[in-house]
Amino acid sequence: VKVQEGLNKAYVVYEIPTEGNTSRLLALYKDIQEDLVIGTIRSARHDFIDYALESDAIFCCFGWSHYAEKDMKSGSINYLQGLFGYPYYRNNPENLVTEHTAYTSMAKLKDAASKKGFKNTTEKGSLLKYNTGDVDLSSASNVKQATSITIPYGDAPQIASFKYDENSKMYVRYENSIKCVDHNTKEDVTTKNIIVQKITYSKCDDNYYWELNTTGTGSGYFITNGYAVPITWSKNNRSSKTVYSYAKGTVINGKDVSGQEIEVSDGRTWIEIQTTSQNLSF
């Protein structure tokens, strides 16, 4: 919460569950021209790669589980690893333990990717469908009011939440009831859309790290502008796009949209990957 920088410049941020009923963030950036500082950078889990692959992204991390190391070294994805030094550096403005002190910048990442010969374009389309206006879910047949959302990843303090600001029409993020603020700009960490994707998981063969079932189908919620509707999701394989669709029986403005891919409001989206063993509340 104290030292995160650059999240408000991401166009998609995933929150992904990890071992011990904790979570980590995976932020996606594109077309960033400024020399944006991004951090803090933490170690990778192999499941995170599935969500980077569906956007054809270069994967950036500082450290990895042995499963992620094996996966990345097998050639599954282009990556920039902080254990090898550049383009990462240490900064510790709040005197925290070492694992919370790794940063990078957009300029450094672009330079490192160029030196490695990584492509910086993709033929894959956008992960989400966008509506240039504001999506209004208020008339949906199965709508819930969603001005405050609590998404636990475990018992306190591992609880994420969002509160809707009617003036800005944005959701403000909290971690364990503490408002998230960018350490550099002092801006509230916000998002326009929230997608909750419910998944199942098992333990890896070491009985410690988690094996998230990122492919297949499941349920969830789409949340924007103070309202939420149930959705389904489907992902055919680890590199294919996850498709989020309106749940069966969803009628909006008198039109049955069951099974249609959702359109999100123009703006940033946080995708909250949450296990089926944890419940969210509105």
Side-chain angles (χ1 to χ4, degrees), residues 238-281:
R238 73 178 314 206
S239 62
S240 64
K241 183 177 78 168
T242 303
V243 179
Y244 303 96
S245 305
Y246 291 109
K248 184 178 180 180
T250 303
V251 178
I252 299 178
N253 292 327
K255 181 181 178 181
D256 189 341
V257 294
S258 305
Q260 292 184 19
E261 185 175 357
I262 66 171
E263 287 188 341
V264 299
S265 298
D266 192 22
R268 188 164 42 261
T269 300
W270 278 60
I271 301 177
E272 300 285 326
I273 311 295
Q274 190 191 34
T275 69
T276 53
S277 61
Q278 297 287 348
N279 295 317
L280 74 155
S281 58

Side-chain angles (χ1 to χ4, degrees), residues 11-280:
Y11 73 100
V12 171
V13 180
Y14 292 89
E15 184 161 17
I16 307 174
T18 54
E19 66 282 351
N21 292 309
T22 59
S23 65
R24 294 196 176 185
L25 304 180
L26 177 68
L28 297 182
Y29 298 87
K30 64 178 181 180
D31 302 328
I32 301 292
Q33 300 303 316
E34 65 186 276
D35 190 10
L36 177 70
V37 172
I38 303 169
T40 61
I41 312 297
R42 299 296 305 274
S43 59
R45 302 293 181 267
H46 65 286
D47 308 292
F48 299 2
I49 299 170
D50 298 22
Y51 296 108
L53 284 170
E54 59 181 40
S55 289
D56 207 8
I58 298 169
F59 193 88
C60 306
C61 60
F62 200 115
W64 43 23
S65 69
H66 57 284
Y67 297 104
E69 178 182 9
K70 181 179 179 181
D71 194 349
M72 283 189 268
K73 285 183 175 179
S74 74
S76 63
I77 195 168
N78 288 333
Y79 64 91
L80 297 172
Q81 170 58 266
L83 293 175
F84 307 145
Y86 186 81
Y88 302 89
Y89 62 92
R90 296 286 187 183
N91 186 31
N92 196 1
E94 299 288 341
N95 295 315
L96 301 178
V97 294
T98 303
E99 61 260 36
H100 299 290
T101 64
Y103 290 82
T104 187
S105 72
M106 189 57 63
K108 292 179 187 297
L109 291 174
K110 287 181 177 179
D111 179 62
S114 176
K115 287 177 177 176
K116 286 184 173 291
F118 294 162
K119 64 175 183 174
N120 57 10
T121 59
T122 179
E123 296 178 358
K124 285 191 174 182
S126 176
L127 174 67
L128 302 170
K129 290 180 66 176
Y130 290 89
N131 187 311
T132 54
D134 264 358
V135 174
D136 184 1
L137 300 175
S138 61
S139 70
S141 54
N142 47 11
V143 72
K144 292 178 180 286
Q145 190 170 24
T147 54
S148 180
I149 307 105
T150 301
I151 306 170
Y153 284 87
D155 297 328
Q158 304 299 331
I159 297 174
S161 60
F162 294 86
K163 295 182 180 179
Y164 185 59
D165 184 324
E166 292 187 357
N167 293 321
S168 65
K169 294 187 176 182
M170 300 286 284
Y171 285 91
V172 180
R173 177 176 169 81
Y174 291 75
E175 292 179 6
N176 311 314
S177 300
I178 301 172
K179 184 186 287 187
C180 295
V181 177
D182 187 285
H183 189 269
N184 178 39
T185 66
K186 310 306 178 187
E187 296 173 330
D188 294 345
V189 175
T190 60
T191 186
K192 182 64 177 177
N193 311 288
I194 302 167
I195 294 173
V196 178
Q197 180 183 349
K198 304 289 286 186
I199 64 168
T200 57
Y201 75 99
S202 59
K203 292 284 186 72
C204 293
D205 55 16
D206 66 353
N207 203 36
Y208 176 69
Y209 289 110
W210 286 12
E211 184 72 57
L212 305 181
N213 296 319
T214 62
T215 60
T217 60
S219 62
Y221 279 94
F222 169 41
I223 305 162
T224 193
N225 291 318
Y227 295 94
V229 294
I231 60 171
T232 61
W233 64 267
S234 63
K235 182 175 170 69
N236 293 331
N237 56 65
R238 73 178 314 206
S239 62
S240 64
K241 183 177 78 168
T242 303
V243 179
Y244 303 96
S245 305
Y246 291 109
K248 184 178 180 180
T250 303
V251 178
I252 299 178
N253 292 327
K255 181 181 178 181
D256 189 341
V257 294
S258 305
Q260 292 184 19
E261 185 175 357
I262 66 171
E263 287 188 341
V264 299
S265 298
D266 192 22
R268 188 164 42 261
T269 300
W270 278 60
I271 301 177
E272 300 285 326
I273 311 295
Q274 190 191 34
T275 69
T276 53
S277 61
Q278 297 287 348
N279 295 317
L280 74 155

